[in-house]
Amino acid sequence: MSTRTAVITGASAGIGAATARALANAGFHVVLGARRLEKLQPLAEELSGTAYRLDVTDADSVASFVDRIPECHVLVNNAGGARGLDRVEHADEERWRWMWETNVLGTLRITKALLPKLLASGDGHVITVTSIAGHEVYDGGAGYTSAKHAQSALHRTLRSEHLGDPLRLTEIIPGMVETEFSINRFDGDTERAAKVYEGVTPLTAEDVAEVIAFAATRPPHVNLDQIVLKPRAQYSGSRVHRE
């Protein structure tokens, strides 16, 4: 049996890097994409994988990336993120634009480009990492929650449109995960980012990656449509028990 290929976006850190390790350990050849090639290359060497620069907000970058991939069995849409925590009345349109470009249009671009190769594999699988923010709302989060709702809707529509095709679709819906997410959201303010996880044991990138690898290694007839995972101490995006 030939080695199956898994493509992971946003693979330079956090959930993406952990997923690359988990899928490589599960026997996949991993193709890693992210803007920070200097971080990707050591990881690819460690995992005997392949690293290419990828900016999902740039159509030319996506096309160049996909052209270099001969086959694809699993696509993990992980690239994304949040910017700011502003109420609607103080919304920064540039931050909103970045969130929609990255989370929604970025997912659209890479998925659309790889769909022919996923279908040609005879057992394709699109795994999209959204968020509980794609299924609820919270104060200050409208830019991010709206983008994640749209990303989730895109993913679920694909599930319907490709019913009957050799393509599985799994939405991974994490709650609080301690990665670079909050540092990026707050423009590098590490003190503010640390307060997000104060008094709570959050999920780790590895926790999420294990779930992704589990979904990716089910038999071809098994489709795990949605998997929600949160820390034990988290009920929702706005309700957390802190010690």
Side-chain angles (χ1 to χ4, degrees):
M1 184 178 177
S2 61
T3 302
R4 287 162 60 80
T5 297
V7 175
I8 302 117
T9 70
S12 60
I15 292 171
T19 297
R21 289 192 172 93
L23 290 178
N25 288 338
F28 287 87
H29 173 74
V30 291
V31 178
L32 315 180
R35 289 170 299 171
R36 297 178 293 184
L37 193 57
E38 72 280 2
K39 287 200 168 188
L40 279 186
Q41 286 173 329
L43 180 60
E45 288 172 13
E46 172 196 331
L47 303 176
S48 299
T50 308
Y52 300 126
R53 188 180 184 282
L54 171 66
D55 180 352
V56 296
T57 70
D58 183 330
D60 290 339
S61 176
V62 170
S64 174
F65 178 79
V66 169
D67 283 347
R68 302 171 82 174
I69 301 170
E71 61 178 11
C72 179
H73 300 85
V74 174
L75 166 62
V76 181
N77 283 313
N78 171 70
R83 289 287 184 272
L85 198 59
D86 304 324
R87 290 168 59 97
V88 172
E89 63 192 299
H90 302 302
D92 182 320
E93 286 193 18
E94 284 306 310
R95 286 179 166 180
W96 275 61
R97 188 170 288 109
W98 183 90
M99 286 185 275
W100 276 75
E101 275 285 348
T102 306
N103 294 286
V104 187
L105 292 175
T107 297
L108 170 64
R109 288 186 188 99
I110 194 73
T111 305
K112 180 181 176 182
L114 279 172
L115 265 174
K117 294 176 183 182
L118 286 158
L119 292 168
S121 76
D123 179 23
H125 196 167
V126 178
I127 299 174
T128 302
V129 181
T130 62
S131 168
I132 58 171
H135 298 267
E136 57 182 80
V137 298
Y138 53 86
D139 291 0
Y144 183 62
T145 59
S146 63
K148 283 297 182 182
H149 273 73
Q151 184 188 34
S152 174
L154 163 62
H155 177 90
R156 286 181 282 127
T157 302
L158 275 171
R159 175 78 168 105
S160 176
E161 289 177 347
H162 287 277
L163 190 64
D165 289 337
L167 184 70
R168 289 182 285 161
L169 289 110
T170 300
E171 182 183 1
I172 304 293
I173 309 170
M176 186 183 289
V177 187
E178 188 167 12
T179 63
E180 294 179 353
F181 175 86
S182 289
I183 294 173
N184 292 331
R185 177 174 224 167
F186 299 130
D187 300 320
D189 187 338
T190 54
E191 189 174 328
R192 188 177 179 190
K195 289 187 181 300
V196 173
Y197 312 106
E198 211 168 64
V200 180
T201 302
L203 299 175
T204 66
E206 288 71 25
D207 293 330
V208 181
E210 284 180 15
V211 173
I212 291 171
F214 176 79
T217 53
R218 294 312 87 202
H221 71 287
V222 177
N223 195 95
L224 298 173
D225 284 46
Q226 294 181 324
I227 305 174
V228 183
L229 61 158
K230 292 179 281 195
R232 185 180 64 193
Q234 182 178 29
Y235 177 75
S236 67
S238 56
R239 188 175 175 201
V240 177
H241 174 76
R242 299 182 189 273
E243 297 293 346

